[in-house]
Amino acid sequence: MGILVEKTWLDEHMESLPLWQQKVYRSFSSMLADTNTYPCVPARQGFLSNQLRFTFVSDPRKEGAAKQLATALREYGNGSRETGKYTSLVVFFETPAVIKANYTISDYRELFWSVLNHVTAYDEQEWPADIPTDPMHHTWEFCFHGEPYFAFCATPEHCLRKSRQFPAFFIAFQPRWVFEDLNDHTRFGRKMKKVIRQRLANYDEIAAHPDLKWYGKADNHEWKQYFLSDDTSSPSSCPFMRMKSKLTSFLK
């Protein structure tokens, strides 16, 4: 198995994977494909059309996980434009029972930002010149290897917000370029937002989070959308910080 794998490969080689990988992939497949209810229509289309790419990463609390994720993000970024307009990188983390038994939503949020912070230590490229480095800027986006990404996190602890619920710690990275037609400046984007919001209302047991806004709007902060609480609260400041490069050790 390579660093990145496709749906077609996973469907064919499922029995050869470790049990935890089999379980999370089957849960993901069931969530997106078994019924046409999952709110994010583009994600479902991407899955069914084999445009998503998958990777499995070890315990997210450990430094090795950041290194593995950096390798996967780099490889994905180099070839993502060849996969289709509904592409995303889906990252499944090995989530030990002790995490599932003890972690709160706040713990998972801290873990999420810890992973993003640590992975930047393995980024050999400069931050893109057209993306602000301050997360409080309305056009900020997480970047790696020169590519801006929207990050989506789901956890086992989410309950009311079922669209953010998953049996393991899970992050999906969507390149910013996939949203070129999905914004408030296009008729398609406005129509898709309406569809997704209606499906979200039917799927979740709580109203859509107030932080869900259009990218680029003056009152929007993308980082708040990456990890949504299970209520309507949100942090007042962003925990993101680029860490000192570990590129030398990464290349050994």
Side-chain angles (χ1 to χ4, degrees):
M1 182 177 70
I3 297 172
L4 303 183
V5 291
E6 303 177 10
K7 174 185 183 297
T8 52
W9 188 95
L10 286 167
D11 290 342
E12 184 176 348
H13 297 86
M14 182 54 50
E15 298 301 326
S16 67
L17 299 179
L19 186 58
W20 78 267
Q21 296 182 7
Q22 294 185 39
K23 288 182 176 179
V24 295
Y25 175 72
R26 284 178 173 140
S27 293
F28 184 85
S29 178
S30 176
M31 181 174 68
L32 265 70
D34 283 2
T35 61
N36 187 15
T37 58
Y38 189 71
C40 186
V41 176
R44 186 172 190 271
Q45 291 177 325
F47 179 70
L48 295 176
S49 59
N50 200 42
Q51 295 182 39
L52 304 186
R53 295 297 178 265
F54 301 88
T55 193
F56 298 92
V57 174
S58 61
D59 187 335
R61 299 170 298 176
K62 299 179 179 179
E63 179 63 33
K67 190 173 181 178
Q68 293 169 34
L69 177 55
T71 301
L73 267 173
R74 184 177 293 105
E75 181 174 320
Y76 176 74
N78 288 337
S80 64
R81 294 177 187 274
E82 302 172 5
T83 59
K85 64 179 181 179
Y86 295 119
T87 186
S88 294
L89 173 62
V90 177
V91 184
F92 299 120
F93 291 85
E94 186 173 10
T95 312
V98 65
I99 291 182
K100 296 180 182 180
N102 296 289
Y103 269 40
T104 65
I105 292 289
S106 295
D107 293 327
Y108 277 114
R109 179 186 288 111
E110 183 177 340
L111 180 63
F112 167 76
W113 286 109
S114 175
V115 170
L116 257 61
N117 288 340
H118 280 83
V119 80
T120 63
Y122 298 100
D123 191 354
E124 78 258 27
Q125 292 196 16
E126 295 295 324
W127 195 264
D130 58 337
I131 301 295
T133 57
D134 181 4
M136 297 306 291
H137 194 282
H138 61 278
T139 60
W140 179 87
E141 193 83 279
F142 171 75
C143 299
F144 187 86
H145 198 57
E147 189 76 63
Y149 290 100
F150 180 86
F152 172 101
C153 186
T155 79
E157 193 62 18
H158 281 81
C159 180
L160 298 176
R161 208 169 295 286
K162 290 174 60 181
S163 55
R164 296 288 178 132
Q165 182 185 66
F166 195 70
F169 184 64
F170 158 87
I171 304 177
F173 293 90
Q174 297 171 285
R176 173 47 52 189
W177 60 263
V178 306
F179 297 99
E180 290 175 353
D181 294 326
L182 289 170
N183 57 70
D184 66 334
H185 299 301
T186 68
R187 182 179 179 183
F188 175 71
R190 293 189 295 271
K191 180 180 179 180
M192 182 61 71
K193 179 182 179 180
K194 184 177 180 180
V195 170
I196 292 175
R197 283 299 180 91
Q198 183 57 58
R199 292 166 69 97
L200 199 62
N202 295 332
Y203 196 82
D204 285 352
E205 297 178 13
I206 189 172
H209 200 286
D211 287 335
L212 293 177
K213 301 174 182 178
W214 287 110
Y215 173 74
K217 291 293 186 181
D219 64 343
N220 176 64
H221 294 106
E222 286 292 278
W223 64 269
K224 290 188 176 184
Q225 300 186 45
Y226 292 179
F227 190 107
L228 296 179
S229 61
D230 214 28
D231 51 29
T232 59
S233 65
S234 62
S236 59
S237 61
C238 181
F240 179 73
M241 56 180 289
R242 295 195 76 192
M243 299 191 70
K244 185 177 180 181
S245 176
K246 293 184 179 179
L247 182 58
T248 300
S249 61
F250 176 76
L251 292 176
K252 288 182 179 179

